[in-house]
Amino acid sequence: MDKEVIDAIRAKEQLPETMTDSEIAQEYKGTYTAARAAISLDHKPLDQVLADTMAKIFPFMRNKK
C-alpha cells in the first residue's frame, strides 16, 4: 500500500501517530476505506463535485466567502 494512501487513511480515520504504517496497511488492506482513500488522492470528493455542479446551475447556491 502506498504511503500516500496510508497517510490519507490515518487522517480520515483519525488513527494515532503511534500506529505504524505497516499496521495500518495490514488492517485496512482490501477494505472500502482504503479504496476511498486511494480515490480521494486523485479526485474531488463526490459531495464537492455535486456542490460545484449545483453552483453552476444555481448561482445563488455558491458559498459566500
Side-chain angles (χ1 to χ4, degrees), residues 8-26:
I9 292 171
R10 180 177 276 127
K12 182 75 175 167
E13 297 294 310
Q14 299 177 349
L15 299 174
E17 292 296 323
T18 56
M19 195 169 187
T20 65
D21 291 353
S22 60
E23 289 174 332
I24 293 171
Q26 183 178 3

Side-chain angles (χ1 to χ4, degrees), residues 2-4 19 22 26 34 36 41-43 46-47 49 51 56 59-60 63:
D2 292 344
K3 174 75 170 135
E4 292 174 324
M19 195 169 187
S22 60
Q26 183 178 3
R36 287 198 47 128
L41 297 175
D42 296 326
H43 303 285
L46 182 57
D47 293 343
V49 172
K56 290 177 186 174
F60 62 87
N63 290 339

Side-chain angles (χ1 to χ4, degrees), residues 51-65:
D52 292 346
T53 303
M54 293 301 287
K56 290 177 186 174
I57 298 169
F58 303 110
F60 62 87
M61 293 185 73
R62 290 201 168 110
N63 290 339
K64 306 268 193 259
K65 292 184 180 180

